[in-house]
Amino acid sequence: MTEPPLLLIPGPVQTHPRVKATMAQDIAPWDNDTRTRYAALRERLRAIAGGIEGEHVCLPLQGCGHFIVEAALRTFVAPGTKVLIPNNGNYGTRMIRLAREAGRVAVAIEIPEGELATAQMVEKALAEDPSIGTVAVVHSETSTSVINPVEEIAAAVRAAGRRLIVDAVSAFGAIPFDLGAHPETDAIVFSSNKCLEAMPGIGVAVARVDRLEACRGNAGSWSLDLSDLLHHARSYGWGSIRFTPPIQSLAALEVALELFEAEGGQPARLARYTENARILYDGLAALGLTPWVPRDRQGPIIVTMHQPPDQAFALQPFVDALKRRGFLISNFSTTSVPTFRVGAIGHLFPDDMRRATAAIADTLEEMGVRHLARAPLAA
Ligand SMILES: *Cc1c(COP(=O)(O)O)cnc(C)c1O
């Protein structure tokens, strides 16, 4: 059998062989050994989030990123009340839909795709509408590569006396946000399979105990009720898992956290991803491709390039030809104009990025693509 290609996608990401190997076992979720390990795993995740013991709790939930984002919106925003959502890409748009379909009133700040959500925008919107109780913001807008200034937005929310939910699904573990320094934040949410480099199947909220208590009864969904997860833990113990969990994914997450800590935690991971993204950005730009965002807005999670405006280029054949060279990228574009994106996260290193850049050059050459540059960058 040939080696499977390396995943250069923003989740589920390439994982360490030990993380994969851990999946190959049968595990009983309620077994006392499992319970001890699960309770410890929750504490480790709370600590990575900067959560304070007694003030914050870690609430893992079966499912993917969307599920935990929806659970946070349902739990902390009461039905029929307003949540302000800065929208500068696909994941902002998705939060708006999750909130609306759950019967919450999503008030969008529409921001041109690829630009930043700013604290000033949030401050203004909150001043104009005192009935907005909560702001929900995407930390790393995975569809466009930009990192929203969540620290500054959080300060504006705190000054206005409102509450904050942070969708850190593609940021957590790499881009810092210290929950302990953010009393205005009800919850930070993330998933197992992005910067933590584990397997898919688990969404996680690290949330405030006082707010979970105050928000009991909001969710309107037993499955997606974070307050009920706290209640369950208090009733049955912190090692108890409500409903059947993807238990092998939890075991893999344990190993992934060991590797995370051995690497040097969040600062080391950020440094590796930043270098990965820099090599991709510079390397692909040097081939003549046009980056989707200017360098000062390029985050460390993915690199997005305009598709070459050449008749010989088509995304799926490009993806297929690149896969034959050992690298798999997404076969869809998440921006309003045609782009392709290359993930910088996962168990991947600068040498992988150099080889991927060379493989992209070879692939474009093989396809006979000559015109690589798109329009000049927006100012
Ligand atoms: C990936 C992602 C999600 C959704 O995660 P799924 O696991 O695909 O449901 C939500 N928000 C952001 C910012 C993401 O990058």
Side-chain angles (χ1 to χ4, degrees), residues 64-66 91 138 140 142 167 169-170 194:
C64 61
H66 287 84
Y91 285 104
V138 175
S140 160
T142 326
D167 168 358
V169 176
S170 70
K194 289 192 180 177

Side-chain angles (χ1 to χ4, degrees), residues 199-270:
M199 292 292 174
I202 308 147
V204 183
V206 182
R208 286 193 71 85
V209 173
D210 56 359
R211 293 286 299 149
L212 288 162
E213 286 167 346
C215 290
R216 267 200 94 174
N218 273 356
S221 158
W222 186 17
S223 298
L224 298 178
D225 186 352
L226 297 179
S227 293
D228 189 67
L229 283 175
L230 173 64
H231 178 68
H232 178 93
R234 283 175 169 168
S235 307
Y236 302 99
W238 290 91
S240 172
I241 307 176
R242 193 192 66 162
F243 313 153
T244 298
I247 190 70
Q248 287 76 10
S249 281
L250 283 167
L253 181 56
E254 245 182 342
V255 174
L257 290 190
E258 264 174 49
L259 296 166
F260 173 80
E261 280 152 21
E263 183 178 3
Q266 173 270 317
R269 200 143 285 188
L270 177 60

